[in-house]
Amino acid sequence: MDLVLNPEDSFGSGFWYLVEKALSFHGDENKLRDGNLDDFKDYVQNGINELAALRAIFMEDFKDIETRTAWNVKPDMPEFIITVRPTEDEIKDSVSVGLRVRLPKTYPRTAPQIQLVDSLGLSDSQVESAQKMIKDQVASLVGGEMIYELAV
């Protein structure tokens, strides 16, 4: 499988994290703990595709988060916020919530860290209820790409 990158492509930190991870494993199957290099390339390609699809679908509602540790080191896990809005025109400007997602290195085999942030027009109890529903849904979707399904 060949991964082709064009200079005009605009991707956030999550994409480049996946590219760096793929390149760091290129040609060295001993670095893989479970699976072979082709499986890992497929795994990385799926992650790249998922992030690209999320950016295309949510456009201005998709924001990469650039964080740094106490030592000013950039974490190696993609992190972003998708602002989720209702589809009804009457309320979509007055109700929303941010789905803050942090993908672990082993996503989708491991659940992402998801937190609801920046709610607008929702009570605390509604946000708590939604957070619980997301937690339950994440548990049932581990092993497959899930971010789009959680956001809609």
Side-chain angles (χ1 to χ4, degrees):
M1 169 194 334
D2 293 327
L3 179 62
V4 179
L5 303 177
N6 298 311
E8 64 274 2
D9 291 338
S10 175
F11 298 101
S13 63
F15 169 80
W16 292 113
Y17 155 77
L18 292 169
V19 169
E20 288 172 16
K21 190 171 179 182
L23 293 175
S24 73
F25 284 92
H26 181 70
D28 188 354
E29 292 186 36
N30 294 327
K31 288 185 179 181
L32 298 175
R33 292 198 174 130
D34 37 329
N36 63 38
L37 187 58
D38 289 333
D39 290 341
F40 183 77
K41 287 179 184 178
D42 290 341
Y43 177 72
V44 170
Q45 186 65 49
N46 289 341
I48 290 169
N49 291 344
E50 182 177 18
L51 287 172
L54 291 169
R55 277 189 188 84
I57 292 165
F58 293 102
M59 299 186 313
E60 67 275 352
D61 287 331
F62 184 100
K63 304 279 188 266
D64 282 298
I65 298 175
E66 298 288 330
T67 58
R68 303 258 179 206
T69 66
W71 294 276
N72 202 25
V73 175
K74 185 176 154 188
D76 60 356
M77 297 188 296
E79 189 169 356
F80 52 89
I81 294 177
I82 297 173
T83 301
V84 180
R85 305 173 195 281
T87 56
E88 296 84 16
D89 288 334
E90 310 84 49
I91 60 171
K92 77 177 189 181
D93 291 332
S94 60
V95 177
S96 66
V97 67
L99 189 68
R100 185 174 183 145
V101 180
R102 187 171 191 190
L103 300 178
K105 293 178 184 180
T106 55
Y107 172 81
R109 289 182 294 158
T110 304
Q113 297 173 14
I114 297 181
Q115 178 183 12
L116 295 179
V117 297
D118 303 327
S119 65
L120 174 67
L122 299 171
S123 69
D124 289 344
S125 64
Q126 288 172 316
V127 173
E128 288 175 24
S129 176
Q131 185 74 52
K132 184 184 179 329
M133 288 181 356
I134 287 173
K135 182 180 177 182
D136 293 343
Q137 194 172 11
V138 164
S140 70
L141 295 171
V142 169
E145 297 167 353
M146 67 179 80
I147 304 306
Y148 175 78
E149 190 167 338
L150 296 172
V152 295

